[in-house]
Amino acid sequence: MKRDDLETGLAANPTLRADPLADATIARILGPGRPGGPDMATIDVLNKEIARWQLNGDLDGWRASPGLPPEMAAALEDYVAQARVLPDWAIASKIARAEVLFMEMSMASCTLLFCASLPQCYVMPDLAAVLHAAGELEQHTDYRVRATAAMIFPVMMHGGLTAPAGGGVAQAIKVRLIHAMIRYLVLRGHVADALVAPRRLPRLLALGGTMPQVLYAHGWDVDRLGLPCNQEELAYTLLTFNYVFLQGLRRLGLGLRKADEEAYMHTWNVLGYVLGIEPGLMTDTMTDAARMFDAMQASARAQVRTSDPRPALAGALVATMQRYIPPRVLKPFPVLLTRHLVGKATSCDLGLDGRVSLLSRALFVLGFALVRGIDAIGRLVFPGFSISRLVTRILGYQLTAKLLMDETRPLKLPATLRQEVSDAVHAWHNDARAPRWVNALERRLTGRGAPAARQG
């Protein structure tokens, strides 16, 4: 694609639009592409420098470390000054409400992250291709999931986006710059080229090449795939963490009030702005989000592809969940729950429509129907009663405690935030909306022992 053609396409096609601020920052730091491979020394220095962005307050008047190359220092200082600013349409009260909702949903949020949001992320073929190229899910599933949690928790904890002691903005602008680095590496610094042919860096795979080297060698067809991590992909990913999440609650019979749903979507839209997503690609209501989400998925399914990395990515994610579910007969449950939450078409896209034992399917279907029936009757007496929430909390606890909060592999967060996340997770003892006997049952089924004080 010639530069003039590219610039013409940018105006209309979100797959050919990326992030001018972050891309310009990376270009200032790494310069034009190099034939011998990525400048690993500069990338290492850059990674160490952005690791300093830990709390939102750290970004106030931020200055680069002494001794940093002047061009890198100037580029990063300019970037931080512009990227850290929240949009003027951000509403603090809605953000505060979303934070409360996240804490109230607690471990159920983690179940929806694993069984709805993350699987839907992999439906976009070109987005899946970048993850596949880096081996981030097939080979490093735990790392990818934990990295996602390391952004979600700081954003949704109290003051994550609005307080100096929060970490949501700091994490977001770091992720935004990493997206730009991925684009730079895949395209080797030449965004206007239509075809970046695959390369073999010397004995790359045999020697266990680093992720930057693997991405640099991968190759990319801009005409067919658009830009890596483009605006459409970023907007779609945002929808998987607000719309898909809220849709999952509805499908579990745990749907929120309309005002609460819109507060949750608003908070993620504020995050999307900080991540560099164009406001025109965000939606404020579930109706508009459903329309945009379905259109993006339909476009993705219309793409012709010679190989499909999506089943491998989804399979790796499901296998990770199954490792933490001991009873053999229950191991298919993550697949069955994911099928229920994402729907038949997406399950087919991800290769999750394979055969599951009749016993497991019967247990899931009968159990789900029984739970919904008990919930309907129970709420006549206890308005907040929900066995469905109990089940998703139990599964979420297993995944949270054993995968996300494994003390031998702490989340990559600042020490203060990591402790805050740990305290919050350990405080998720009781469901404040459930009767005492339901909380007692939850503690027994999760092995958490003696009763804990009820949450307010």
Side-chain angles (χ1 to χ4, degrees), residues 124 238 292 322 425:
M124 300 291 274
L238 186 70
M292 179 180 289
Q322 290 175 332
V425 171

Side-chain angles (χ1 to χ4, degrees), residues 111-134:
T111 298
L112 290 168
L113 168 67
F114 280 90
C115 296
S117 294
L118 285 174
Q120 291 280 26
C121 275
Y122 311 136
V123 171
M124 300 291 274
D126 40 346
L127 180 58
V130 174
L131 292 172
H132 177 73

Side-chain angles (χ1 to χ4, degrees), residues 105 112 125 138 149 214 217-218 232 254 269-270 283 306 316 318 343 359 382 407 442:
M105 290 181 285
L112 290 168
E138 294 101 322
V214 172
H218 181 254
E232 182 177 84
L254 304 174
N269 285 343
V270 172
T283 59
T306 55
V318 168
L359 176 60
F382 302 104
E407 293 182 2
E442 179 182 322

Side-chain angles (χ1 to χ4, degrees), residues 95-298:
I95 295 173
R97 180 57 186 155
E99 293 168 354
V100 171
L101 290 168
F102 180 80
M103 296 304 295
E104 286 180 347
M105 290 181 285
S106 62
M107 290 170 286
S109 302
C110 294
T111 298
L112 290 168
L113 168 67
F114 280 90
C115 296
S117 294
L118 285 174
Q120 291 280 26
C121 275
Y122 311 136
V123 171
M124 300 291 274
D126 40 346
L127 180 58
V130 174
L131 292 172
H132 177 73
E136 280 203 31
L137 274 196
E138 294 101 322
Q139 300 172 31
H140 309 292
T141 308
D142 286 16
Y143 171 82
R144 174 66 183 173
V145 171
R146 289 162 64 80
T148 302
M151 189 184 77
I152 292 176
F153 275 115
V155 168
M156 298 309 300
M157 299 289 286
H158 176 66
L161 292 175
T162 56
V169 176
Q171 293 294 316
I173 69 169
K174 202 182 307 183
V175 169
R176 181 176 180 179
L177 206 61
I178 290 170
H179 287 161
M181 192 184 304
I182 289 172
R183 279 189 294 273
Y184 175 93
L185 291 169
V186 171
L187 300 174
R188 299 177 202 141
H190 300 291
V191 177
D193 292 342
L195 181 63
V196 180
R199 263 185 197 167
R200 286 180 174 271
L201 295 179
R203 300 179 62 195
L204 176 63
L205 298 178
L207 295 174
T210 64
M211 191 179 300
Q213 290 172 323
V214 172
L215 290 170
Y216 198 88
H218 181 254
W220 197 258
D221 187 342
V222 175
D223 277 343
R224 186 170 63 88
L225 301 174
L227 298 176
C229 300
N230 58 61
Q231 281 292 320
E232 182 177 84
E233 291 172 2
L234 294 174
Y236 176 85
T237 302
L238 186 70
L239 287 171
T240 66
F241 289 104
N242 57 16
Y243 165 70
V244 168
F245 178 86
L246 295 171
Q247 181 192 56
L249 286 175
R250 289 182 176 185
R251 290 183 175 178
L252 291 173
L254 304 174
L256 305 177
R257 295 179 306 145
K258 181 180 178 181
D260 287 341
E261 287 183 334
E262 292 181 0
Y264 201 84
M265 293 194 72
H266 175 80
T267 300
W268 277 90
N269 285 343
V270 172
L271 174 66
Y273 179 92
V274 179
L275 285 169
I277 301 174
E278 299 169 1
L281 290 173
M282 301 177 194
T283 59
D284 297 320
T285 68
M286 289 290 284
T287 301
D288 290 342
R291 189 179 299 113
M292 179 180 289
F293 188 79
D294 290 345
M296 288 180 172
Q297 284 204 334

